[in-house]
Short mmCIF file of all heavy atoms in Angstrom, two decimals:
data_model
loop_
_atom_site.label_atom_id
_atom_site.label_comp_id
_atom_site.label_asym_id
_atom_site.label_seq_id
_atom_site.Cartn_x
_atom_site.Cartn_y
_atom_site.Cartn_z
N GLU A 68 36.79 -57.99 40.29
CA GLU A 68 35.83 -56.90 40.50
C GLU A 68 34.49 -57.24 39.88
O GLU A 68 33.52 -56.49 40.09
CB GLU A 68 36.39 -55.63 39.86
CG GLU A 68 37.72 -55.19 40.29
CD GLU A 68 38.91 -55.94 39.61
OE1 GLU A 68 38.69 -56.46 38.50
OE2 GLU A 68 39.98 -55.93 40.18
N ALA A 69 34.38 -58.28 39.13
CA ALA A 69 33.09 -58.67 38.51
C ALA A 69 32.02 -58.95 39.56
O ALA A 69 32.28 -59.43 40.65
CB ALA A 69 33.24 -59.86 37.56
N ARG A 70 30.81 -58.65 39.14
CA ARG A 70 29.63 -58.96 40.01
C ARG A 70 28.62 -59.62 39.10
O ARG A 70 28.37 -59.24 37.95
CB ARG A 70 29.01 -57.67 40.64
CG ARG A 70 30.00 -56.92 41.53
CD ARG A 70 30.23 -57.74 42.84
NE ARG A 70 31.21 -57.09 43.74
CZ ARG A 70 32.52 -57.30 43.74
NH1 ARG A 70 33.04 -58.05 42.83
NH2 ARG A 70 33.28 -56.66 44.63
N ILE A 71 27.94 -60.67 39.62
CA ILE A 71 26.99 -61.42 38.88
C ILE A 71 25.68 -61.55 39.70
O ILE A 71 25.76 -61.88 40.87
CB ILE A 71 27.51 -62.79 38.48
CG1 ILE A 71 28.81 -62.68 37.69
CG2 ILE A 71 26.47 -63.58 37.69
CD1 ILE A 71 29.54 -63.98 37.40
N GLY A 72 24.58 -61.26 39.04
CA GLY A 72 23.32 -61.35 39.77
C GLY A 72 22.10 -61.39 38.91
O GLY A 72 22.14 -61.19 37.69
N TYR A 73 21.01 -61.75 39.51
CA TYR A 73 19.72 -61.94 38.88
C TYR A 73 18.65 -61.09 39.49
O TYR A 73 17.74 -61.64 40.21
CB TYR A 73 19.34 -63.44 38.90
CG TYR A 73 20.45 -64.29 38.34
CD1 TYR A 73 21.53 -64.71 39.16
CD2 TYR A 73 20.44 -64.65 37.03
CE1 TYR A 73 22.59 -65.45 38.63
CE2 TYR A 73 21.52 -65.39 36.47
CZ TYR A 73 22.57 -65.77 37.31
OH TYR A 73 23.63 -66.54 36.82
N PRO A 74 18.65 -59.78 39.33
CA PRO A 74 17.69 -58.89 40.03
C PRO A 74 16.36 -58.67 39.26
O PRO A 74 15.62 -57.72 39.53
CB PRO A 74 18.49 -57.55 40.11
CG PRO A 74 19.30 -57.55 38.82
CD PRO A 74 19.71 -59.01 38.62
N GLU A 75 16.03 -59.56 38.39
CA GLU A 75 14.87 -59.36 37.53
C GLU A 75 13.57 -59.13 38.33
O GLU A 75 12.72 -58.28 37.97
CB GLU A 75 14.59 -60.60 36.64
CG GLU A 75 15.63 -60.83 35.58
CD GLU A 75 16.74 -61.74 35.98
OE1 GLU A 75 17.20 -61.70 37.20
OE2 GLU A 75 17.26 -62.44 35.14
N MET A 76 13.34 -59.81 39.45
CA MET A 76 12.07 -59.63 40.19
C MET A 76 11.93 -58.30 40.75
O MET A 76 10.84 -57.85 41.03
CB MET A 76 12.01 -60.70 41.28
CG MET A 76 11.71 -62.04 40.69
SD MET A 76 11.14 -63.29 41.95
CE MET A 76 12.48 -63.25 43.15
N ARG A 77 13.03 -57.53 40.91
CA ARG A 77 12.95 -56.15 41.46
C ARG A 77 12.21 -55.30 40.43
O ARG A 77 11.76 -54.21 40.77
CB ARG A 77 14.30 -55.60 41.75
CG ARG A 77 14.92 -56.29 42.94
CD ARG A 77 16.32 -55.73 43.21
NE ARG A 77 16.92 -56.46 44.29
CZ ARG A 77 18.10 -56.28 44.77
NH1 ARG A 77 18.85 -55.34 44.25
NH2 ARG A 77 18.54 -56.99 45.74
N ARG A 78 12.11 -55.73 39.17
CA ARG A 78 11.40 -54.98 38.15
C ARG A 78 10.17 -55.72 37.71
O ARG A 78 9.62 -55.41 36.67
CB ARG A 78 12.28 -54.76 36.98
CG ARG A 78 13.54 -53.84 37.29
CD ARG A 78 13.05 -52.48 37.60
NE ARG A 78 14.15 -51.74 38.23
CZ ARG A 78 13.96 -50.66 38.98
NH1 ARG A 78 12.74 -50.29 39.30
NH2 ARG A 78 14.99 -50.02 39.50
N GLY A 79 9.76 -56.72 38.45
CA GLY A 79 8.54 -57.45 38.16
C GLY A 79 8.69 -58.51 37.08
O GLY A 79 7.69 -58.99 36.54
N ILE A 80 9.89 -58.86 36.80
CA ILE A 80 10.16 -59.91 35.74
C ILE A 80 10.39 -61.25 36.44
O ILE A 80 11.23 -61.32 37.37
CB ILE A 80 11.34 -59.52 34.91
CG1 ILE A 80 11.12 -58.13 34.20
CG2 ILE A 80 11.61 -60.58 33.85
CD1 ILE A 80 12.39 -57.54 33.52
N GLN A 81 9.71 -62.25 35.98
CA GLN A 81 9.92 -63.60 36.56
C GLN A 81 11.31 -64.05 36.20
O GLN A 81 11.83 -63.73 35.12
CB GLN A 81 8.91 -64.58 35.95
CG GLN A 81 7.50 -64.15 36.18
CD GLN A 81 6.54 -64.62 35.09
OE1 GLN A 81 7.01 -65.16 34.11
NE2 GLN A 81 5.26 -64.47 35.36
N ALA A 82 11.91 -64.78 37.12
CA ALA A 82 13.26 -65.31 36.84
C ALA A 82 13.34 -66.20 35.63
O ALA A 82 14.30 -66.21 34.91
CB ALA A 82 13.82 -66.01 38.07
N GLY A 83 12.29 -66.95 35.36
CA GLY A 83 12.12 -67.69 34.10
C GLY A 83 13.14 -68.79 33.83
O GLY A 83 13.60 -69.48 34.72
N MET A 84 13.49 -68.83 32.58
CA MET A 84 14.30 -69.98 32.06
C MET A 84 15.70 -70.03 32.76
O MET A 84 16.30 -71.09 32.79
CB MET A 84 14.44 -69.92 30.57
CG MET A 84 14.98 -71.21 29.99
SD MET A 84 14.67 -71.32 28.19
CE MET A 84 15.84 -70.05 27.64
N VAL A 85 16.19 -68.89 33.17
CA VAL A 85 17.55 -68.90 33.81
C VAL A 85 17.54 -69.84 34.98
O VAL A 85 18.57 -70.39 35.34
CB VAL A 85 18.02 -67.49 34.19
CG1 VAL A 85 17.23 -66.96 35.40
CG2 VAL A 85 19.50 -67.47 34.48
N LEU A 86 16.43 -70.03 35.64
CA LEU A 86 16.35 -70.89 36.81
C LEU A 86 16.84 -72.32 36.50
O LEU A 86 17.55 -72.91 37.29
CB LEU A 86 14.94 -70.98 37.39
CG LEU A 86 14.45 -69.76 38.22
CD1 LEU A 86 12.99 -69.97 38.57
CD2 LEU A 86 15.32 -69.62 39.42
N ILE A 87 16.41 -72.82 35.39
CA ILE A 87 16.75 -74.15 34.98
C ILE A 87 18.26 -74.28 34.90
O ILE A 87 18.88 -75.22 35.42
CB ILE A 87 16.07 -74.58 33.66
CG1 ILE A 87 14.51 -74.62 33.89
CG2 ILE A 87 16.52 -75.95 33.18
CD1 ILE A 87 13.68 -74.60 32.67
N HIS A 88 18.88 -73.36 34.15
CA HIS A 88 20.33 -73.41 33.95
C HIS A 88 21.05 -73.12 35.28
O HIS A 88 22.10 -73.70 35.53
CB HIS A 88 20.74 -72.44 32.87
CG HIS A 88 20.12 -72.77 31.52
ND1 HIS A 88 20.40 -73.95 30.88
CD2 HIS A 88 19.30 -72.10 30.72
CE1 HIS A 88 19.75 -74.02 29.77
NE2 HIS A 88 19.12 -72.89 29.64
N LEU A 89 20.59 -72.15 36.01
CA LEU A 89 21.16 -71.76 37.26
C LEU A 89 21.21 -72.91 38.29
O LEU A 89 22.24 -73.24 38.86
CB LEU A 89 20.53 -70.53 37.81
CG LEU A 89 21.16 -69.85 39.05
CD1 LEU A 89 22.56 -69.38 38.69
CD2 LEU A 89 20.33 -68.64 39.47
N MET A 90 20.07 -73.57 38.41
CA MET A 90 20.01 -74.67 39.34
C MET A 90 20.91 -75.82 38.92
O MET A 90 21.48 -76.56 39.73
CB MET A 90 18.53 -75.17 39.50
CG MET A 90 17.75 -74.18 40.34
SD MET A 90 16.00 -74.53 40.45
CE MET A 90 15.96 -76.17 41.19
N ARG A 91 20.97 -75.99 37.57
CA ARG A 91 21.90 -77.06 37.06
C ARG A 91 23.32 -76.80 37.46
O ARG A 91 24.09 -77.73 37.77
CB ARG A 91 21.71 -77.08 35.56
CG ARG A 91 22.43 -78.05 34.75
CD ARG A 91 22.05 -77.95 33.28
NE ARG A 91 22.10 -76.66 32.68
CZ ARG A 91 23.25 -76.07 32.32
NH1 ARG A 91 24.37 -76.65 32.47
NH2 ARG A 91 23.23 -74.84 31.80
N LEU A 92 23.74 -75.55 37.49
CA LEU A 92 25.13 -75.16 37.79
C LEU A 92 25.43 -75.04 39.27
O LEU A 92 26.45 -75.58 39.71
CB LEU A 92 25.52 -73.82 37.15
CG LEU A 92 25.62 -73.82 35.62
CD1 LEU A 92 25.86 -72.38 35.18
CD2 LEU A 92 26.71 -74.71 35.13
N VAL A 93 24.56 -74.41 40.03
CA VAL A 93 24.94 -74.08 41.41
C VAL A 93 24.07 -74.83 42.43
O VAL A 93 24.34 -74.73 43.62
CB VAL A 93 24.83 -72.55 41.65
CG1 VAL A 93 25.71 -71.79 40.70
CG2 VAL A 93 23.39 -72.06 41.57
N GLY A 94 23.06 -75.54 42.07
CA GLY A 94 22.20 -76.20 42.98
C GLY A 94 21.07 -75.32 43.45
O GLY A 94 21.11 -74.03 43.29
N GLU A 95 20.07 -75.95 44.05
CA GLU A 95 18.88 -75.19 44.43
C GLU A 95 19.12 -74.11 45.49
O GLU A 95 18.57 -73.01 45.41
CB GLU A 95 17.76 -76.20 44.88
CG GLU A 95 16.49 -75.52 45.13
CD GLU A 95 15.39 -76.49 45.44
OE1 GLU A 95 15.52 -77.71 45.23
OE2 GLU A 95 14.30 -76.03 45.87
N ARG A 96 19.87 -74.43 46.51
CA ARG A 96 20.05 -73.48 47.62
C ARG A 96 20.68 -72.12 47.07
O ARG A 96 20.25 -71.07 47.42
CB ARG A 96 20.96 -74.09 48.73
CG ARG A 96 21.30 -73.19 49.88
CD ARG A 96 20.10 -72.84 50.73
NE ARG A 96 19.61 -74.03 51.35
CZ ARG A 96 18.42 -74.07 51.96
NH1 ARG A 96 17.62 -73.07 52.01
NH2 ARG A 96 17.98 -75.18 52.46
N HIS A 97 21.75 -72.27 46.37
CA HIS A 97 22.42 -71.10 45.78
C HIS A 97 21.48 -70.38 44.78
O HIS A 97 21.43 -69.14 44.75
CB HIS A 97 23.70 -71.41 45.07
CG HIS A 97 24.82 -71.78 46.03
ND1 HIS A 97 25.20 -71.01 47.08
CD2 HIS A 97 25.60 -72.95 46.11
CE1 HIS A 97 26.25 -71.61 47.72
NE2 HIS A 97 26.42 -72.81 47.13
#
Side-chain angles (χ1 to χ4, degrees):
E68 305 82 21
R70 299 291 178 268
I71 301 172
Y73 306 85
E75 291 93 325
M76 287 196 302
R77 293 180 181 177
R78 297 293 168 203
I80 302 170
Q81 302 152 350
M84 194 164 70
V85 74
L86 283 176
I87 295 166
H88 297 299
L89 190 58
M90 287 175 58
R91 183 176 50 78
L92 290 177
V93 304
E95 187 173 347
R96 177 68 63 195
H97 289 303

